[in-house]
Structure formats: structure tokens, C-alpha cells
């Protein structure tokens, strides 16, 4: 969850590290720090809080040095304070280290090291690595040997970068479970957790795989396994533009990303639709189409917002493909010894492609012989590389911690996969064309909803001080209710729960009174009248009702206190529209409450630890 950045070249490192950390702040913002080496000394500056605090400190004392590492932290072991902030050092401040991940056996290692005379300053698991390297280095190993041997002794996950003032022209980097990307420039080299800090400097990158390491030197980069086997890495070009990771005039990244959805949904479809034939082509699935289409069961594994997209996938694939579908929390999947058969297909969904729980789940599926596919946004991510095949959603960089455009792009990708499979089985040309025609209209329909932004902001002002919300939907809109509640919780810190509307009578109805706003997704589908009945049950108990309804539905105004209208589309595609007002409602409530919507407390964008 933390952000790592490093630089070795002919420019002053500190400003490059600071700007890199700004790009990575969405990965963690409890504390931050940088370290450089110059004149035989390690210079460290650390601050609690967001990157601006570190920037203020660096304005007073910008350390010199043409080599350095930096880190922005999402706390796991130890409170967010200056002592626990990275970088960490050994006993003699000779070795300096930053780390993303969790060292599971740090307590045992720490006890042994303390018995050998090592003195620890922090409460973190990370500091153990620095002292372990020091112990091995002092006992006759070269620094590289000490680095490798230390990593072989730790259990858990790591993305790690280390420097020593004994060899001030090298950065040692390694990865196991936490992403590391290396940037190759003209006479300079970069390290980062993802490509966003590298874009202003280079487009040439390569990714470390698990149990691989790199040594950045002024003469070039040495790559090998942690077990000391030399390997060759191939450089790739990244296509992301700098404008993709800027706010573009919006107050927040989240608002920008909400308003980008007409474009990102279209980008997910672009080049993949054969409208006249009612067909879909997905190049990433070409080699596995038959096995996917004839799967006996499909298992989605995902977390958070991606899990909600998977739930919609369950409705889609069971309705149109007639294949049994299960949706699993990735964090639970491998720990319950799941039953996986040879003809099962596992689909892992992750915006970042680095979600630790989802990665562990797909590895369990591969181990048990299933075909494993990925739906990811980040090109070159670990999940993209480790799955047998998959679909990129092409949503572009999503910086806001609360996912918005990635969700609608994931759902769009699942719709495309569903049509691809269904057309080989039960779906006619006419049905395929109709669904694709409606899908192609989604971007302009999303824009119609975004044009109601001011209305939704006014509505948010009426409800910003509420302490609880209930979100209710049925069928395809039940996952949307879950997603709407999650968005509100994540960024406004208001307690919110999502339920199938009919389940309200089985418990949640006890909460309803004049102080409980209830958000209904009430589109005119096959179970519209059932939802109307649920709304009446809420109104009978003095609940305040906000409805998301179809344009032209005047009846709904007889039951709701407020209505947000969305265009009418195929029932299976309604989540792509009904989620938009819920994203805007959550955003505006959070802003009116003074919350930091891009960096909500206790959260980070990419959950790379279990």
C-alpha cells in the first residue's frame, strides 16, 4: 500500500523524489520521507502526514545528492509518526532502506537481532530488514550478499530499495509480492511502485517479478534472482500521458474521474464491437474463447468495488450464457480450501492489477488447474502477467482512492465478455445487435446524468449532516446499492449499508425513521412494482426517500422525497447509469462535510498487503 521511489543519475535526487512521491501519494499518506547520499553521509528528512508536510520541510533543508530513495507510508506496524516513517536505517546509519509489504516473521528476527546487540528505533517490521542486512554485512558478506541473504530469511511480502554510504553509487531493489517498476533514462535510472512517477522522465520501463532483484549502478542495471541467478529483463514502452495523471482543472481527481466516464466507457468498447454481426472480439481472450464459453462454472474473485462489478457479472453471465457463476471475496477464497474443477474458469478483477488478496486467489486457482483470466486496468501489472489471458479495461490512470471510472469500465468489459460467450451459445444476432446498440449509447446517456451535477450537489446539501444511509436495489441494481453505500462510507465517513430491497423487511427496517435517508434504485424493469412496494414500506415509517428512476417516470414522484432521473436502457445495462448519480451524491456530500475525497482517512488506492 505504500509508495516507493528511487533515483540514480546526474541530477539532484531530492526534487525528483519529492515529485515522484506526489504522484504516489494515493498509495499512502500517513507519513513520508526521503534519503540521499552525498559527501559520504546519509541525509534523511521525514515528516508525519501528507506530502505537503515533507515538501515544507524540504523547502527549509533540501538535502544534496545524485542518488536517493523516497517513501510515502500507509501504516501497518506502528503508529504514523516520524520515528516509524520511512526511510529506516541500521544501528550506525550506514544502511538506509524503504519497504512496501509486511514481514510476517519480524518479531522472531527482531528478538534474535536484539540479542546480538542491535538497537531498534521504530515499531515497524521494516526496520528488521536494515538490521538483518547490517548483521550479515558485518559478518564477512559483501553488501550484495548481505542484501540477498537477508531477503531469503524474511517471510512475507516486500518491495524494497536499499542504499549504503559504503557504496554510494548503487541502489539495491527487490520484489516479492509488492510491485516494483524500473525506469531506464539517458544515463539515469528510476525505481517506483508504479509508472506514474516515471512518466515525466522516461517511457522505458521493466517490471520485477517475485524473487527478482535489480542493482542500479552508474554503468547500468544488473538483474538477477534473489537466489543469485543472472536474468535478462526486456524494456517496455509505457503509453500513459502526463495529462492522464493531472487534475485537468477539476477540484479533485475523483470528480475528474467521474466526469471522464463517457470517454472511459467508450475506450473499453473501442475496437471490440462488430455491431452488424452482433459480435464482440476480445483479442486478449482469443486463445481461450472455447474453454471460457464451455466452462462448467465461472468463479469471480475480487475485493471492494471490483467485487461489486463481479456481482453484476454473475447476473449477466447466468442470464445470457446460462453458466453457473459464483462471486468470491478474494481475501477468503484460498483460505477455505475451495473446490475447483478442471472445467472451471476463474476471473480475477482488480483495477491496479496488484491487489494482494486477488493475486493470492488467482494463484490458488492456477495451482488447482483452473483457467485463470484477468480484468485489470494497469498494463503490465502482476495480475495481468500471471493470468492465462484477460481483458484490459483501458480506463487510464485512476488516482482517486474511491474507484469510479474503473468500476464502470469493469462492468463494460464484463458485458463484452458476456456477449462474446452468449453469441456462441444462446444469443441470437438480433439480441446481440440490440444489446450492443444500447451499450454504444451508454456514454451519451452517462453524460446526460453528469449534466445534472448541480441538482445532485443541491440534494447533497440537504443530507450532508446525516449519520446513516440505507441503499436498496433489486436485481442488477442490488450491486449498485452496495457500491453506492461503499462510496459514501469511503469518502464522507457516514455509515451506509446496501441491501437487496426485499431484504429490508428482514432486519434493516427496524432502523428506519424520519432521520434515516433511504436511497432506492427504482428503474422501470420487471420488478419495478416490487420496489414501489418497498418504498411505500419506508414511507409508512416516516423514512426519507431518494430515488434513482428512469426518465419519464412520473409515478415515482408520488412516493419519493427526491428523484434523480437517468435515461432508459436495457435492464442488463442499468448499473452503468444508475451508479453515476450515487458517485456524484457521495462526492458532493463528502466535499460539503470538508472531507478529503481523493485521500480518505485510513485508505490507500492499491491494497498490496493481506
Amino acid at each position: 500500500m505504500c509508495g516507493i521511489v528511487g533515483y540514480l543519475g546526474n541530477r539532484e535526487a531530492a526534487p525528483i523524489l519529492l515529485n515522484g512521491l506526489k504522484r504516489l501519494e494515493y498509495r499512502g499518506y500517513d507519513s513520508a520521507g526521503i534519503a540521499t547520499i552525498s559527501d559520504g553521509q546519509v541525509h534523511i528528512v521525514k515528516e508525519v502526514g501528507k506530502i505537503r508536510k515533507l515538501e515544507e520541510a524540504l523547502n527549509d533543508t533540501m538535502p544534496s545528492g545524485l542518488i536517493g530513495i523516497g517513501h510515502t507510508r500507509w501504516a501497518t506496524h506502528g503508529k504514523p509518526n516520524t520515528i516509524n516513517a520511512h526511510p529506516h536505517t541500521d544501528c550506525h546509519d550506514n544502511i538506509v532502506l524503504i519497504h512496501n509489504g509486511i514481514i510476517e516473521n519480524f518479531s522472531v528476527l527482531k528478538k534474535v537481532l536484539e540479542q546480538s546487540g542491535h538497537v531498534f528505533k521504530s515499531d515497524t517490521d521494516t526496520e528488521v530488514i536494515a538490521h538483518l542486512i547490517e548483521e550479515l554485512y558485518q559478518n564477512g558478506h559483501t553488501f550484495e550478499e548481505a542484501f540477498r541473504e537477508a531477503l531469503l530469511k524474511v517471510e512475507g511480502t516486500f518491495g524494497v530499495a536499499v542504499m549504503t554510504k559504503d557504496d554510494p553509487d548503487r541502489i539495491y531493489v527487490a520484489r516479492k509480492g509488492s510491485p516494483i517498476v524500473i525506469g531506464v533514462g539517458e544515463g539515469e535510472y528510476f525505481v517506483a511502485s508504479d509508472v506514474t512517477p516515471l512518466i515525466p522522465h522516461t517511457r522505458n520501463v521493466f517490471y520485477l517479478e517475485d524473487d527478482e532483484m535489480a542493482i542500479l549502478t552508474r554503468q547500468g542495471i544488473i538483474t538477477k534472482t534473489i537466489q543469485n541467478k543472472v536474468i535478462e529483463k526486456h524494456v517496455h514502452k509505457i503509453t500513459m500521458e502526463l495529462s492522464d495523471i493531472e487534475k485537468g482543472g477539476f477540484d479533485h481527481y475523483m470528480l475528474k474521474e467521474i466526469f471522464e466516464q463517457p470517454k472511459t466507457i467508450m475506450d473499453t468498447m473501442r475496437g471490440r464491437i462488430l455491431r452488424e454481426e452482433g459480435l464482440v472480439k476480445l483479442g486478449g481472450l482469443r486463445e481461450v474463447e472455447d474453454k471460457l464459453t464451455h466452462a462448467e462454472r465461472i468463479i469471480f474473485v475480487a475485493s471492494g468495488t471490483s467485487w461489486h462489478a463481479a456481482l453484476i457479472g454473475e447476473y449477466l453471465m447466468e442470464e445470457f450464457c446460462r453458466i453457473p457463476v459464483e462471486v468470491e471475496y478474494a481475501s477468503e477464497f484460498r483460505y477455505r480450501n475451495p473446490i475447483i474443477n478442471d472445467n472451471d474458469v476463474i476471473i480475477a478483477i482488480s483495477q491496479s492489477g496488484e491487489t494482494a488478496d486477488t493475486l493470492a486467489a488467482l494463484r490458488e486457482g492456477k495451482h488447482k488447474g483452473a483457467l485463470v483470466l484477468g480484468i485489470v486496468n494497469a498494463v503490465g501489472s502482476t495480475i495481468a502477467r500471471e493470468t492465462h489471458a484477460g481483458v484490459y479495461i483501458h480506463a487510464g490512470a485512476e488516482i482517486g482512492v474511491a474507484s469510479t471510472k474503473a468500476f464502470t469500465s469493469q462492468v463494460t468489459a464484463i458485458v463484452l465478455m458476456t456477449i462474446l460467450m452468449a453469441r456462441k451459445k444462446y444469443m441470437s444476432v438480433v439480441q446481440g445487435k440490440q444489446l450492443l446498440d444500447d451499450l454504444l449509447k451508454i456514454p451519451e446517456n452517462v453524460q446526460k446524468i453528469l449534466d445534472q451535477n448541480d441538482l445532485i450537489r443541491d440534494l447533497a446539501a440537504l443530507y450532508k449532516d446525516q449519520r446513516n444511509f440505507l441503499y436498496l436495489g433489486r436485481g442488477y441494481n442490488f450491486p449498485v446499492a452496495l457500491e453506492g453505500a461503499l462510496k459514501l462510507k469511503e469518502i464522507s465517513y457516514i455509515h451506509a449499508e446496501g441491501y437487496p430491497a426485499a431484504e429490508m423487511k428482514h432486519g434493516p427496517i427496524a432502523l428506519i425513521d424520519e432521520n434515516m435517508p433511504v436511497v432506492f434504485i427504482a428503474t422501470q424493469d420487471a420488478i419495478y412494482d416490487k420496489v414501489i412496494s418497498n418504498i411505500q414500506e419506508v414511507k409508512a415509517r416516516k423514512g426519507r426517500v431518494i430515488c434513482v428512476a428512469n426518465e419519464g417516470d412520473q409515478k415515482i414522484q408520488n412516493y419519493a422525497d427526491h428523484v434523480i432521473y437517468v435515461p432508459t436502457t436495457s435492464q442488463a445495462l442499468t448499473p452503468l447509469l444508475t451508479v453515476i448519480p450515487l458517485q456524484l451524491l457521495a462526492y458532493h456530500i463528502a466535499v460539503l462535510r470538508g472531507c478529503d475525497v481523493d485521500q480518505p482517512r485510513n485508505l490507500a488506492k492499491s491494497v498490496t498487503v493481506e
Side-chain angles (χ1 to χ4, degrees), residues 300-304 307 327-335 348-349 355-362 610:
F300 283 100
V301 291
S303 300
W307 190 80
V327 180
E328 298 272 3
Y329 283 110
S331 56
E332 292 293 319
F333 184 67
R334 68 168 174 154
Y335 292 109
I349 309 179
T355 310
D357 291 322
T358 308
L359 188 55
L362 77 85
E610 287 194 71

Side-chain angles (χ1 to χ4, degrees), residues 9 28 61 86 92 103 142 161 166 184 194 290 368 390 437 496 545 564 566:
T61 55
H86 298 218
H92 301 95
I103 306 304
T142 66
D166 288 348
V184 181
D194 63 45
D290 286 343
K368 293 192 172 182
D437 283 345
V545 173
I564 305 170
V566 301

Side-chain angles (χ1 to χ4, degrees), residues 49-156:
K50 298 187 178 180
I51 303 299
R52 62 176 177 267
K53 293 289 188 180
L54 178 64
E55 186 174 23
E56 290 168 2
L58 291 173
N59 286 337
D60 296 331
T61 55
M62 183 72 75
S64 61
L66 307 181
I67 182 173
I69 53 178
H71 187 271
T72 181
R73 182 174 186 245
W74 185 83
T76 53
H77 295 74
K79 296 178 181 178
N81 57 36
T82 306
I83 293 173
N84 290 330
H86 298 218
H88 291 287
T89 63
D90 64 343
C91 291
H92 301 95
D93 296 334
N94 177 45
I95 299 165
V96 59
L97 174 146
I98 54 177
H99 164 236
N100 182 15
I102 291 179
I103 306 304
E104 295 171 356
N105 63 336
F106 88 99
S107 296
V108 174
L109 293 172
K110 183 175 181 179
K111 185 175 181 179
V112 171
L113 289 164
E114 286 176 330
Q115 290 172 348
S116 297
H118 290 262
V119 177
F120 286 78
K121 309 178 190 74
S122 76
D123 300 317
T124 68
D125 55 335
T126 296
E127 191 183 353
V128 165
I129 307 174
H131 289 278
L132 189 54
I133 295 171
E134 178 187 32
E135 177 72 14
L136 294 163
Y137 187 39
Q138 288 178 339
N139 285 305
H141 290 73
T142 66
F143 191 81
E144 181 190 330
E145 290 170 343
F147 176 69
R148 288 192 296 101
E149 290 295 323
L151 295 182
L152 291 172
K153 291 179 182 295
V154 300
E155 298 172 4

Side-chain angles (χ1 to χ4, degrees), residues 519-523 546-550 563-566 577-578 581-582:
V519 180
F520 277 93
I521 301 101
T523 53
I546 302 168
C547 276
V548 177
N550 284 133
V563 182
I564 305 170
Y565 285 107
V566 301
L577 301 181
T578 53
L582 304 188

